[in-house]
Amino acid sequence: MPSAVVARKLSKEYRLGELNRNALVGEVVASAFKRLLGKDRSNYERIWALKNVDLELEQGHVLGIIGRNGAGKSTLLKVLSRITFPTSGSMAVRGRVASLLEVGTGFHDELTGRENIYLNGSILGMKRREIRKKLDSIVAFADVAQFLDTPVKRYSSGMRLRLGFAVAAHLEPDVLLVDEVLAVGDAGFQKKCLGAMDNLHTGGRTVMFVSHNLSAVENLCPRAIWIDRGCVRMDGPSNEVIQAYLATFSDATQGGADLTQVEPRKGSGHMRCTAIELLDSNGHPTPVVRSGMELTFRLHYEVFQLVREPHFGIEIYSNLGTMITSVNTWTSGFNTEELRPGKGYIDVNVGALNLNPDRYYLSIWLASVGPRYYDHLDFCTTITVEQADVHKSGRAMSKAFGLMYLPCQWSHNGYHQQDASELSQLDQERSAIVQPF
Amino acid sequence: MAVMATTRELWLYRELFYFMVWRDVKVRYKQSILGALWAIIQPFGTMVVFTIFFHRLANIPSDGVPYPIFSYTALLPWTYFSSTITQIGNSMVTNKNLITKVYFPRITIPAAHAIRGLLDFSIAALLLIGLMAWYRFTPSWNLLLWPLLTIPVLALSLGVGMIFAALNVRFRDIQHVLPFVVQLWLFVTPVIYPTTMIPAKWRIVLAMNPLTGIIEAFRATALPENTVDPRQFIVSMAMTAFIFVGGLWYFNRTARSFADIV
C-alpha cells in the first residue's frame, strides 16, 4: 500500500508576544527600533508547537491522535492540511484532502440552510454536482427539512451544528483530517457523529482523528500516536498508546496528585498549585472516591510574589472533554485575603459528589479577577469515581445513566383510578386504534 | 511566474471561487429593500452632489460635455475601484474563521470580490446610457471598448486591495487607513475635474496615479470630445502592471503566515 500521508522532521515554531493580535504601529515601530539597537532579540518567547515529527500513514488506514491540550495535535492537522506552513521539515499528502477542524466552517448567517450547504460543501472541497446529488441525504441527516429556506441566523445552535456535521459526513475525500469536532453537541448527536465516523473508515478512506475521547479513538482507530509537547512520544496500537498516555495522569484518587511537574502550564507564576488531595468526611486522604460520598478537594499552593485576593477553581470534565462543572471561589463568592510568599492550602467541601462512575479530568486554576491566571493547569489530573448505591435502592448508578445523578425524591400522589364507564369507553377507543394492525 | 502559478491554483479551486463570488452576490443585498438598486444609487447620488457643488457653484469645466455625464463616466470606474479595495482590504480579517480553519488559495477571496464588483459596475453603467439619452448626447462607438478597459481597473483594484489585505492581517491600523486613503485618492484622480485643468507639465506626474490614465481612457472612449494623452495612458498602464504584480507577489509571499497571525 502506498502512503497517503508522509511527514519528515516536521516542525512548527510560534513566536509568542510578537505582534500577534491587533498590533499598533507604535508597538511595531518600538520593537523594530529595539531590534535595531540589538536589545529585543531574545525577548520573544519561542514555542515549538511541533518538533521533528515523523509520520507515515498508509492509504485506507485510520490513525488516532491523542495528547494533552496544547501538545500540538491541532497544529499537526493544520500543517498537514496546509492551513499553516511548517517552519521546517517536509510533508506530502496524496489525494484529495478535507480537513474538518470545526463544524460548519464558513456558514454565512444571512444565507439560507440550502445555500449554506452549497457554500460549506464547496469550502470543504465538494463539487457542485456532488452537493446537488447528496442534498436530500444531507438534509435528512441534519433533520432541518422544514427550515431549508430559512436564513441560518434564525437557526438554533443545535440545528447549525447538525447541518454542519451533515455536510461533513457526506465528504468523500481521499484523506480526512478531523479535529475534536465531537466535543460539542449533546450525547445523542455525538453518538450519531461517531457512527458517521465509523462509516468513513469502512469506506477505505485515510483518516486522522484527533480526540480527547479515548474510547472513541480505541474503537475507531487501530493505530494511534501520542503527541507530547510537539513530539511524537509514542506510536503504535491504540490500546497500548492510550494505556501509556493514561499512565502519565497522576490519578488524584490514588492518595492525591503532585502537580509541581505538570507541563504545560499557563499563567504568570505569581503562585503555583503544587498538589491536590481528596479527603473524606473525616478529613483523611481517601483511597477511593465513590458516587455520592462527601468529599473535600484540598489544593496546595505556593506563593512566590504577593497576590491580592486570588481565586481558586477546579473544573471537572467528562472524558469527551466536555466541562461538567466548575467549582470556584469566584462564583461561590468566597474571598481570600492578600497572600505573601509562602505555602498553604485551600479546601472545598462537596457535600455529596453526584458524579456517576467514570473517569473524569480535572483542570485547576489560580487567578485574579479578569481573569488573569497565576497558574492554569489544563487536564492535569483525573479522578476515578467508583460505583455506590447512592439511592439506597440496591441498584447502583452507572455510566449508562449519564454523567451525573441528581439527588431526588419520587412521589406519586397525582393518580386517581377511572370509574368503570370511563374505562370501557377508553377500551373501545383503544381497540379502534389498534384495529388496522 | 507568480501570475501563472496563481492562475493554475485558482483554476484548481474554480468551484470554490465560483461559490465565493456567488456568496458575495447573494449576501450583498440580503435584507435590503432597494437591493441591487444601490449599485446605481451610489454613483448617481455622488454625481448629483458633484454637479451641484463642483460644477454649478465652483464652475469646474467638463471639456464641453454635460457635467453629469462627464463626472458619471469617471464615477463608474472610481466607485468600482474604491469599494473593491475597501472590501479586499478588509477581506482577510472578515474571513478570519475560514482562513484559520480550511486551506484554499487565499487569493480566491480578493479575486471573488473583484469579479463580483463588476456586476455592480455593469448595472451602474446601464444608467450612463439612460443619462446620455436624457441629455440627447451621442456617445462614441468606442464605448464598446469598455469591457476591455475593465481589465486594468480590475488589475489595479486587485493589486492595491491585496497589499492592504496582507498588511491588515498584521496591522489592524489598515482598517482606519483605508477610508482615509480612498478619500484622498479621489482628489488626486481626475473624477471631479478634467486633466485639462492641470498644467501640461504636471500631467505626467498625475499619470503616476494609475487611475488617471484609466479614467481618462474611460472618458475618451465614451465621449467623442475627449481624447487621451498616449504618454499619460502608457505611464498609467505601466504603473497598473507594476502594482498588480507587486501586490500579487507580496500577498502570496505573506499568505502562508496569514492563519498564524490574523
Side-chain angles (χ1 to χ4, degrees):
Chain A
M1 274 281 192
S3 297
V5 180
V6 182
R8 293 265 172 267
K9 295 208 166 301
L10 212 53
S11 299
K12 173 76 187 178
E13 186 188 39
Y14 283 109
R15 279 201 287 194
L16 300 179
E18 184 228 17
L19 328 162
N20 278 335
R21 271 153 218 286
N22 305 317
L24 297 170
V25 167
E27 294 171 30
V28 180
V29 172
S31 94
F33 206 69
K34 275 190 207 156
R35 222 180 308 174
L36 268 179
L37 296 173
K39 280 183 180 170
D40 201 32
R41 215 165 286 267
S42 60
N43 267 359
Y44 297 129
E45 198 183 328
R46 283 153 191 274
I47 185 170
W48 287 98
L50 287 180
K51 210 167 182 184
N52 294 330
V53 170
D54 282 313
L55 186 69
E56 204 160 318
L57 183 60
E58 281 177 9
Q59 211 173 313
H61 285 214
V62 181
L63 176 74
I65 304 173
I66 59 174
R68 292 177 190 237
N69 284 355
K73 307 183 296 283
S74 302
T75 308
L76 178 60
L77 288 198
K78 279 192 173 183
V79 170
L80 289 176
S81 54
R82 295 206 289 162
I83 293 167
T84 180
F85 274 72
T87 312
S88 63
S90 67
M91 51 147 214
V93 181
R94 195 172 313 214
R96 212 164 72 147
V97 187
S99 55
L100 198 56
L101 302 192
E102 183 188 63
V103 165
T105 302
F107 270 6
H108 200 290
D109 269 348
E110 301 288 342
L111 297 177
T112 66
R114 185 196 306 274
E115 290 165 344
N116 268 308
I117 291 175
Y118 278 95
L119 184 62
N120 186 234
S122 72
I123 285 169
L124 293 174
M126 281 199 222
K127 302 260 172 261
R128 221 179 325 164
R129 201 178 315 137
E130 206 180 328
I131 304 172
R132 202 175 301 137
K133 215 171 63 195
K134 291 175 179 167
L135 188 71
D136 291 336
S137 165
I138 292 174
V139 173
F141 190 101
D143 199 12
V144 292
Q146 63 184 124
F147 305 104
L148 202 53
D149 294 306
T150 309
V152 161
K153 63 180 170 184
R154 311 245 183 271
Y155 278 32
S156 71
S157 54
M159 282 160 69
R160 274 179 91 113
L161 200 66
R162 289 205 303 272
L163 188 64
F165 196 86
V167 177
H170 287 79
L171 283 176
E172 285 176 5
D174 302 311
V175 179
L176 181 66
L177 310 170
V178 194
D179 204 348
E180 192 76 85
V181 286
L182 309 174
V184 286
D186 55 73
F189 182 69
Q190 285 183 353
K191 222 176 227 168
K192 201 169 173 181
C193 298
L194 286 174
M197 286 285 306
D198 210 22
N199 292 339
L200 282 178
H201 83 268
T202 50
R205 239 174 292 290
T206 314
V207 183
M208 286 175 76
F209 175 47
V210 165
S211 185
H212 279 120
N213 184 347
L214 299 179
S215 51
V217 170
E218 198 166 357
N219 286 335
L220 298 174
C221 319
R223 175 181 159 205
I225 58 171
W226 164 19
I227 296 199
D228 187 23
R229 274 167 270 177
C231 305
V232 178
R233 179 136 163 207
M234 197 174 163
D235 182 345
S238 57
N239 54 346
E240 286 172 27
V241 176
I242 288 170
Q243 241 166 36
Y245 170 63
L246 277 176
T248 60
F249 281 89
S250 48
D251 193 291
T253 337
Q254 256 101 59
D258 177 22
L259 301 175
T260 48
Q261 303 303 320
V262 172
E263 289 284 342
R265 60 207 296 163
K266 287 177 231 157
S268 66
H270 284 61
M271 65 188 295
R272 289 278 191 218
C273 185
T274 52
I276 180 169
E277 272 189 294
L278 307 178
L279 311 176
D280 63 17
S281 53
N282 300 318
H284 298 306
T286 173
V288 60
V289 173
R290 310 187 72 186
S291 270
M293 77 183 274
E294 181 181 344
L295 188 70
T296 298
F297 293 91
R298 175 166 291 177
L299 290 183
H300 292 266
Y301 60 82
E302 184 167 358
V303 181
F304 299 97
Q305 283 173 56
L306 179 122
V307 286
R308 289 199 176 78
E309 299 181 12
H311 283 284
F312 297 79
I314 301 172
E315 292 165 354
I316 303 180
Y317 291 85
S318 75
N319 64 10
L320 292 175
T322 312
M323 192 200 280
I324 298 168
T325 188
S326 167
V327 188
N328 60 70
T329 54
W330 168 252
T331 48
S332 303
F334 182 82
N335 289 321
T336 48
E337 60 271 44
E338 186 177 282
L339 301 179
R340 295 177 181 283
K343 290 181 179 179
Y345 62 79
I346 186 167
D347 287 345
V348 56
N349 179 269
V350 182
L353 186 76
N354 57 337
L355 293 174
N356 282 342
D358 203 351
R359 189 171 181 138
Y360 297 89
Y361 292 100
L362 299 189
S363 292
I364 296 170
W365 51 259
L366 314 178
S368 71
V369 285
R372 278 200 304 276
Y373 292 108
Y374 298 128
D375 198 13
H376 191 175
L377 299 159
D378 230 4
F379 286 47
C380 57
T381 182
T382 60
I383 54 170
T384 310
V385 178
E386 306 290 346
Q387 264 184 0
D389 181 12
V390 291
H391 294 306
K392 308 277 177 260
S393 62
R395 296 171 190 147
M397 291 292 289
S398 74
K399 260 197 262 192
F401 300 102
L403 294 168
M404 54 187 289
Y405 73 88
L406 293 178
C408 57
Q409 208 106 61
W410 292 92
S411 57
H412 187 218
N413 305 324
Y415 177 69
H416 79 276
Q417 194 175 356
Q418 278 163 329
D419 56 41
S421 63
E422 279 179 71
L423 209 62
S424 64
Q425 196 188 340
L426 198 73
D427 274 345
Q428 275 169 11
E429 279 170 20
R430 200 174 282 154
S431 59
I433 294 167
V434 172
Q435 248 165 11
F437 298 93
Chain B
M1 276 300 282
V3 181
M4 284 294 288
T6 309
T7 317
R8 202 170 47 234
E9 266 231 293
L10 265 179
W11 175 247
L12 275 175
Y13 281 81
R14 59 190 180 275
E15 290 262 341
L16 179 62
F17 178 67
Y18 164 83
F19 273 106
M20 290 288 183
V21 177
W22 172 85
R23 174 185 76 164
D24 240 30
V25 172
K26 283 261 175 183
V27 169
R28 187 150 170 88
Y29 299 115
K30 278 248 169 170
Q31 218 175 23
S32 79
I33 299 168
L34 295 176
L37 271 181
W38 282 110
I40 294 177
I41 297 169
Q42 257 183 13
F44 185 77
T46 316
M47 178 273 285
V48 171
V49 171
F50 282 4
T51 307
I52 296 170
F53 287 92
F54 294 113
H55 184 58
R56 291 280 161 80
L57 297 178
N59 285 319
I60 288 182
S62 53
D63 290 347
V65 179
Y67 188 85
I69 294 179
F70 171 83
S71 63
Y72 193 78
T73 308
L75 273 167
L76 289 174
W78 167 256
T79 309
Y80 170 80
F81 172 77
S82 62
S83 67
T84 305
I85 65 166
T86 308
Q87 271 181 42
I88 295 179
N90 290 318
S91 63
M92 292 298 113
V93 177
T94 47
N95 286 291
K96 183 176 164 173
N97 63 339
L98 268 188
I99 289 168
T100 53
K101 299 292 181 197
V102 203
Y103 173 77
F104 55 91
R106 304 311 185 200
I107 196 164
T108 315
I109 294 175
H113 281 304
I115 295 292
R116 203 275 309 147
L118 291 179
L119 187 68
D120 281 0
F121 178 83
S122 315
I123 295 171
L126 289 179
L127 190 74
L128 181 66
I129 313 283
L131 212 57
M132 286 174 163
W134 173 266
Y135 281 95
R136 301 189 188 289
F137 182 89
T138 322
S140 150
W141 276 108
N142 290 332
L143 187 61
L144 296 176
L145 286 174
W146 271 30
L148 216 59
L149 273 180
T150 56
I151 295 170
V153 209
L154 188 132
L156 180 66
S157 309
L158 251 177
V160 174
M162 283 190 299
I163 294 169
F164 280 122
L167 287 172
N168 206 350
V169 168
R170 197 166 269 266
F171 311 113
R172 288 295 191 281
D173 312 66
I174 297 301
Q175 282 168 332
H176 308 288
V177 170
L178 255 171
F180 185 58
V181 166
V182 168
Q183 213 170 42
L184 291 189
W185 204 318
L186 175 63
F187 291 105
V188 295
T189 307
V191 175
I192 296 168
Y193 52 88
T195 20
T196 47
M197 265 183 83
I198 309 290
K201 56 175 178 175
W202 292 110
R203 281 183 204 160
I204 277 297
V205 180
L206 198 66
M208 295 296 282
N209 164 13
L211 264 185
T212 304
I214 294 173
I215 282 183
E216 285 298 293
F218 267 99
R219 278 199 180 123
T221 43
L223 318 172
E225 284 85 351
N226 280 56
T227 50
V228 68
D229 175 352
R231 279 186 316 156
Q232 207 179 34
F233 186 69
I234 288 166
V235 171
S236 290
M237 284 302 123
M239 283 299 289
T240 300
F242 175 71
I243 291 176
F244 176 69
V245 173
L248 194 67
W249 174 80
Y250 181 65
F251 185 86
N252 279 340
R253 206 185 67 121
T254 48
R256 39 169 61 197
S257 63
F258 282 174
D260 296 337
I261 305 168
V262 71

